[in-house]
C-alpha cells in the first residue's frame, strides 16, 4: 500500500479531482457544496500528510501551501512565477515538491497532471549527465543485440548470474500469473530474432538516477533488459520492485533483490510473466518495497512512460 492509499477517501478524492480531472478549488467547492477555503485546506492537508509520511524536509506553512497550490495547478500566473523562483533557489522546497510528486505518481496520478519542478544549475548538470548515460545505454543495447540472445536464453532458464530479477506474481491485473519456461522454449530463443516490444526511459523524482528499460521477445521468451545509472542501494530491509501502471491498474512484474554497484550502475535481464498485454499499460515504475507481497507500488525510485514502437502486444 502506498502513502497515497493511506489517505482518507475524501482527501484522495479531492486530489484526484484536482489533478486527474483538472478541476479548480472553486469548481470543487460548488460540487461539494462547501466553501472554497475548506476545499483548499483539505487538499493541502493531504499533500502535507504525503510529505510527512515520505520524510520530506519541513517547510514553513506559507512555503508548503504555496508549493502545494503549485503542484495542484491552482495558482495565478504571478503566483506560479513566485513559486518557481522559490523552487529554483531553495533545495528544501524542491525536495519537498519532488517527494510529494513521487508519492502522487505512486498513487496513480498521471505524470502529465503535475507541473514542471525547476532545478538549480547543479541539478540541471546532473540531469544532462543522466540523459547522456541513457543515450550511452541505448547505444550499448543496440551494439549488444547479438549477445542479447544469450542473455535472454539465460533469463528463460533462470540460471545465469545476470538474472537477478525474481519474477513472482504479477499482481491483480487480470493478465494472469507467470508461466514456467521450458527447456524447448529456451532452446528456440538462441536462434530466433530479437524483437523489441516496448522501451522506457526512466528517471528519479530528483533526476539523479536514470535507467533504460526494454521489453523484448525472442522466440517464446519474454524478458526485460534494464540498465540503470545513479541507482541508490535499497537497504537491508527493503527491495526494489518493477511495476507496470495504466488503465488496467498496477501490475507488479517482480523484485530486484541485488544491489547496485558502488558506482550506482545496475544491470539485469529478467524473464517476464505471461500473458502480458503491454497495450494496457502506459508507465514503468521501480519502487522501494518493505513488504513481501505489495499489491500497489511503494515509494517511487524511477518512473517513465512505456513507448511501443509499433502496435505490439505480448500475450
Amino acid at each position: 500500500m502506498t502513502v497515497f492509499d493511506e489517505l482518507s477517501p475524501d482527501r484522495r478524492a479531492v486530489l484526484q479531482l484536482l489533478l486527474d480531472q483538472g478541476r479548480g478549488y472553486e469548481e470543487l467547492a460548488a460540487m461539494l457544496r462547501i466553501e472554497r477555503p475548506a476545499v483548499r485546506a483539505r487538499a493541502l492537508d493531504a499533500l502535507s500528510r504525503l510529505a510527512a509520511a515520505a520524510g520530506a524536509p519541513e517547510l514553513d506553512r506559507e512555503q508548503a501551501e504555496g508549493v502545494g497550490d503549485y503542484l495542484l495547478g491552482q495558482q495565478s500566473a504571478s503566483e506560479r512565477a513566485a513559486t518557481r523562483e522559490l523552487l529554483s533557489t531553495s533545495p528544501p522546497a524542491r525536495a519537498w515538491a519532488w517527494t510529494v510528486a513521487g508519492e502522487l505518481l505512486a498513487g496513480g496520478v498521471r505524470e502529465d497532471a503535475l507541473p514542471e519542478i525547476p532545478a538549480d544549475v547543479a541539478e540541471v548538470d546532473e540531469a544532462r549527465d543522466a540523459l547522456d548515460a541513457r543515450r550511452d545505454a541505448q547505444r550499448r543495447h543496440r551494439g549488444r543485440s547479438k549477445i542479447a540472445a544469450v542473455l535472454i536464453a539465460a533469463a528463460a532458464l533462470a540460471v545465469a548470474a545476470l538474472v537477478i530479477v525474481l519474477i513472482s506474481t504479477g499482481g491483480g491485473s487480470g493478465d494472469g500469473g507467470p508461466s514456467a519456461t521450458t527447456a524447448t522454449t529456451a532452446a528456440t530463443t538462441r536462434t530466433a530474432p530479437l524483437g523489441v516490444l516496448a522501451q522506457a526511459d526512466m528517471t528519479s523524482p530528483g533526476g539523479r538516477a536514470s535507467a533504460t528499460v526494454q521489453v523484448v521477445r525472442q522466440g517464446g521468451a519474454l524478458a526485460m533488459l534494464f540498465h540503470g545509472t545513479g541507482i541508490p542501494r535499497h537497504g537491508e530491509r527493503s527491495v526494489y520492485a518493477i511495476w507496470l501502471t495504466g488503465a488496467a491498474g498496477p501490475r507488479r512484474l517482480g523484485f530486484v533483490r541485488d544491489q547496485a554497484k558502488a558506482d550506482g550502475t545496475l544491470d539485469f535481464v529478467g524473464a517476464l510473466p505471461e500473458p502480458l498485454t503491454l497495450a494496457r499499460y502506459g508507465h514503468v515504475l521501480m519502487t522501494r518495497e518493505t513488504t513481501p507481497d505489495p499489491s500497489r507500488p511503494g515509494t517511487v525510485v524511477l518512473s517513465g512512460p512505456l513507448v511501443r514502437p509499433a502496435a505490439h502486444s505480448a500475450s
Side-chain angles (χ1 to χ4, degrees):
M1 178 177 292
T2 67
V3 176
F4 186 89
D5 293 325
E6 294 174 354
L7 294 173
S8 62
D10 62 323
R11 290 183 175 86
R12 289 201 308 271
V14 166
L15 293 182
Q16 288 166 341
L17 287 169
L18 291 170
L19 292 169
D20 289 337
Q21 296 189 24
R23 309 276 186 172
Y25 289 152
E26 296 282 359
E27 190 176 3
L28 281 191
M31 289 174 55
L32 300 175
R33 297 182 180 180
I34 59 178
E35 296 296 324
R36 179 187 184 280
V39 173
R40 180 174 184 260
R42 190 174 299 177
L44 295 181
D45 178 69
L47 296 187
S48 295
R49 290 171 184 264
L50 292 178
E58 290 189 10
L59 299 181
D60 65 46
R61 181 176 177 178
E62 183 178 356
Q63 288 183 336
E65 290 182 348
V67 175
D69 285 336
Y70 177 78
L71 291 176
L72 296 173
Q74 304 298 313
Q75 289 186 325
S76 65
S78 61
E79 289 171 335
R80 286 196 301 273
T83 302
R84 287 179 63 83
E85 176 67 19
L86 170 66
L87 291 171
S88 65
T89 58
S90 170
R94 266 195 315 277
W96 194 96
W98 277 117
T99 301
V100 172
E103 295 303 329
L104 290 171
L105 291 172
V109 171
R110 299 191 328 274
E111 191 169 1
D112 60 5
L114 296 172
E116 177 191 6
I117 300 174
D120 64 12
V121 175
E123 289 172 340
V124 170
D125 288 342
E126 288 180 359
R128 287 173 177 166
D129 290 343
L131 178 59
D132 289 341
R134 289 201 303 276
R135 288 171 176 167
D136 289 343
Q138 290 170 339
R139 286 193 291 270
R140 284 195 293 271
H141 281 310
R142 288 193 293 267
R144 294 184 303 189
S145 60
K146 291 184 179 180
I147 66 169
V150 177
L151 297 180
I152 296 172
L157 290 171
V159 295
L162 284 176
V163 183
I164 61 176
V165 171
L166 282 180
I167 299 298
S168 55
T169 61
S173 70
D175 275 349
S179 59
T181 304
T182 66
T184 302
T185 299
T188 303
T189 66
R190 292 188 179 94
T191 57
L194 180 69
V196 178
L197 304 183
Q199 180 167 312
D201 288 338
M202 306 170 69
T203 56
S204 64
R208 292 178 174 81
S210 63
T212 298
V213 170
Q214 288 182 320
V215 177
V216 299
R217 180 182 291 282
Q218 189 167 35
L222 187 67
M224 173 180 287
L225 309 181
F226 181 102
H227 172 77
T229 60
I231 310 296
R233 298 175 70 83
H234 54 65
E236 295 181 358
R237 297 186 178 181
S238 62
V239 67
Y240 288 147
I242 304 294
W243 301 77
L244 294 177
T245 62
R251 180 172 186 184
R252 190 180 75 240
L253 297 181
F255 297 103
V256 186
R257 301 187 183 279
D258 280 25
Q259 296 280 11
K261 296 179 181 178
D263 62 0
T265 59
L266 178 62
D267 293 273
F268 63 78
V269 177
L272 294 179
E274 296 195 58
L276 180 62
T277 306
L278 294 175
R280 302 176 68 188
Y281 304 98
H283 280 76
V284 183
L285 304 180
M286 173 185 275
T287 62
R288 181 179 284 105
E289 306 292 346
T290 57
T291 59
D293 189 25
S295 60
R296 295 188 63 84
T299 300
V300 175
V301 178
L302 296 169
S303 65
L306 186 68
V307 178
R308 296 187 300 146
H312 286 300
S313 82
S315 58

